Amino acid sequence: MTENNNQNNTANPISAEIAQVETTQNESTTSWIDNIQDNELKNSKSLNNFKDVEGLAKSYVNLEKKLGQPKELEKYEADQYNYEFGEDYTPHEGIYKNFTDKAIELGVNPDAFKELIKTYVDSEQQAINDYNKDQEKLNEEFTSQLKEDWGNDYSKNLEKAENLWTKFAPENADKMFSKMTPEMKGAVAKAMFNISKTMSDSHVEAPNRQQDLTKEEIQNKINAIYSDKSHPWHKGTKQGVEEMNELYDKLKN
């Protein structure tokens, strides 16, 4: 059988030539891209620019030469990341440590690290200043609203409300009151005054609570008055000034 096929091919050279051409055409229609299993890569138009794997490899090597080899992260000493905060700013230790550790791990330039910290601190302080200004504005608005509601009785009504608060509120309430929003402070003042109207004047007189306070409690109360812009002391009223003077006298003794 083999001898007959050889004889037929020899006897019919045209048929042999046609068979060779068909084989060559089938091989030419098979691309190296067809061997890629990932359909997304296989359908990538950019790969069609390469006739074979060798061309793709050359392109990659040339690109790597142009970009250069990736450099190793530069290492700095941990003490290069120390940042001197101002006396008026105390950072959150946990956040600052995490930030510093990550900068060391990533090899961030210490000078760049310090610039980032400075930017953060400046931004935070600006946000705090803006918040305080907004709170002062709200305090002024609610004070104006109380004056409008109480009219000429504003000072007298406010004194009654404060006396009742001082008499019945727990010792640590002043610190909590200083942290309240202006809306809450206004609500408390109105509530205390409304309660005072149901009581006789003798029950609403200001108690001398300072005599039982510790030095720390007195200082906290002074600080609370400083923080509370709506307190009568900031307006220079007699009751507010006397209260502050009494606190300072107790603090000295």
Side-chain angles (χ1 to χ4, degrees):
M1 179 67 72
T2 303
E3 292 178 357
N4 291 335
N5 287 340
N6 290 338
Q7 289 175 357
N8 290 335
N9 290 339
T10 303
N12 194 353
I14 295 178
S15 297
E17 184 177 349
I18 292 174
Q20 180 65 34
V21 170
E22 289 178 348
T23 301
T24 303
Q25 288 178 341
N26 290 334
E27 289 177 354
S28 64
T29 57
T30 301
S31 170
W32 66 275
I33 298 178
D34 294 331
N35 296 321
I36 298 177
Q37 300 299 319
D38 191 308
N39 288 330
E40 185 176 355
L41 290 176
K42 181 182 293 186
N43 296 326
S44 175
K45 294 181 179 180
S46 60
L47 290 183
N48 291 323
N49 296 325
F50 304 98
K51 296 180 180 180
D52 49 37
V53 177
E54 183 177 354
L56 177 63
K58 287 181 179 180
S59 176
Y60 178 82
V61 172
N62 290 334
L63 178 63
E64 192 176 62
K65 289 179 180 179
K66 291 181 180 180
L67 296 178
Q69 295 293 334
K71 296 181 179 179
E72 293 185 3
L73 295 177
E74 190 169 355
K75 299 297 182 181
Y76 300 96
E77 297 297 329
D79 58 4
Q80 291 181 267
Y81 291 87
N82 290 334
Y83 185 84
E84 296 295 332
F85 293 95
E87 295 181 356
D88 58 342
Y89 183 86
T90 302
H92 186 286
E93 293 184 4
I95 294 177
Y96 176 62
K97 183 180 184 303
N98 291 339
F99 194 88
T100 304
D101 290 344
K102 179 58 67 172
I104 296 174
E105 176 186 337
L106 296 177
V108 176
N109 184 285
D111 292 334
F113 164 80
K114 292 175 182 178
E115 282 298 317
L116 289 172
I117 292 294
K118 182 179 183 302
T119 300
Y120 172 80
V121 171
D122 291 345
S123 299
E124 185 180 49
Q125 289 183 319
Q126 183 62 50
I128 292 174
N129 292 336
D130 292 342
Y131 173 80
N132 289 336
K133 289 180 181 179
D134 290 340
Q135 291 300 103
E136 288 181 11
K137 183 179 178 181
L138 288 174
N139 274 322
E140 292 175 359
E141 291 176 356
F142 275 88
T143 299
S144 298
Q145 185 62 50
L146 280 178
K147 288 182 177 180
E148 182 179 339
D149 294 342
W150 288 341
N152 295 331
D153 293 329
Y154 168 76
S155 297
K156 181 176 66 176
N157 292 350
L158 185 62
E159 181 177 357
K160 287 184 177 181
E162 289 179 343
N163 289 345
L164 200 63
W165 173 267
T166 302
K167 187 172 185 178
F168 293 104
E171 295 295 343
N172 61 347
D174 292 326
K175 188 175 182 179
M176 293 188 298
F177 184 83
S178 67
K179 295 181 179 180
M180 290 181 183
T181 62
E183 294 94 333
M184 288 297 299
K185 290 178 180 178
V188 169
K190 289 183 177 181
M192 291 297 102
F193 171 69
N194 290 336
I195 294 173
S196 72
K197 291 191 297 183
T198 67
M199 307 172 68
S200 63
D201 291 340
S202 60
H203 287 91
V204 186
E205 292 178 356
N208 188 17
R209 242 175 43 179
Q210 282 80 1
Q211 62 184 0
D212 300 323
L213 300 178
T214 65
K215 297 288 186 181
E216 182 179 0
E217 290 173 336
I218 294 174
Q219 185 62 61
N220 289 338
K221 191 172 181 64
I222 292 174
N223 293 340
I225 293 175
Y226 272 118
S227 301
D228 183 10
K229 300 299 181 181
S230 64
H231 192 278
W233 178 77
H234 291 276
K235 310 298 182 181
T237 64
K238 179 180 179 182
Q239 187 266 343
V241 172
E242 288 179 351
E243 181 181 359
M244 184 66 91
N245 289 340
E246 182 181 353
L247 287 169
Y248 274 113
D249 289 342
K250 294 295 181 182
L251 191 63
K252 294 177 182 178
N253 296 332

